[in-house]
Amino acid sequence: DSTESVYCLNVSLYVKPERREEFLETIRANAQGTRTKEPLALEYSWGESATESNTFHFHEKYKGRAGFEAHTQASHFADWEKFAGSDPFSKEPKVEFYELN
């Protein structure tokens, strides 16, 4: 069953200073939607680096890969994808996927 494992990702995003406020608005909406509208989302944590401004780190956990796939189909994620596709980053995001043992 694809929902038995815990599917995780760690993400680092490097936001252009001039896009910071738009980023924060979009990511807060994505986080809120993930936490309140996705039953397969176990955790969605994020924050700004303590040493690098406009660098944000995320940790997400879902019930199996199916939980993550459901996340990518949500309307709040679509809004995020629209923002992410508008060249808001100062360098390529770093994304790592893994399953908990």
Side-chain angles (χ1 to χ4, degrees):
D1 184 345
S2 64
T3 62
E4 289 182 9
S5 67
V6 177
Y7 192 74
C8 306
L9 58 153
N10 291 329
V11 180
S12 294
L13 300 176
Y14 313 94
V15 179
K16 291 177 180 177
E18 65 272 19
R19 302 295 301 276
R20 177 187 176 89
E21 291 310 313
E22 185 184 1
F23 165 78
L24 290 171
E25 180 180 323
T26 305
I27 206 63
R28 285 177 182 136
N30 188 44
Q32 179 71 9
T34 302
R35 292 175 183 146
T36 62
K37 298 178 181 175
E38 295 184 38
L40 298 179
L42 301 173
E43 181 178 345
Y44 190 101
S45 302
W46 68 280
E48 188 169 6
S49 169
T51 58
E52 297 177 51
S53 63
N54 298 312
T55 296
F56 296 86
H57 302 289
F58 296 76
H59 179 68
E60 303 174 37
K61 291 181 186 174
Y62 299 90
K63 289 183 182 176
R65 188 176 182 113
F68 176 72
E69 295 299 329
H71 173 64
T72 67
Q73 300 305 309
S75 62
H76 48 268
F77 186 82
D79 292 340
W80 163 252
E81 284 290 285
K82 182 178 177 183
F83 172 79
S86 68
D87 194 31
F89 305 119
S90 58
K91 65 181 180 179
E92 278 296 307
K94 181 179 176 186
V95 182
E96 299 171 329
F97 294 93
Y98 60 98
E99 289 188 22
L100 292 184
N101 290 323

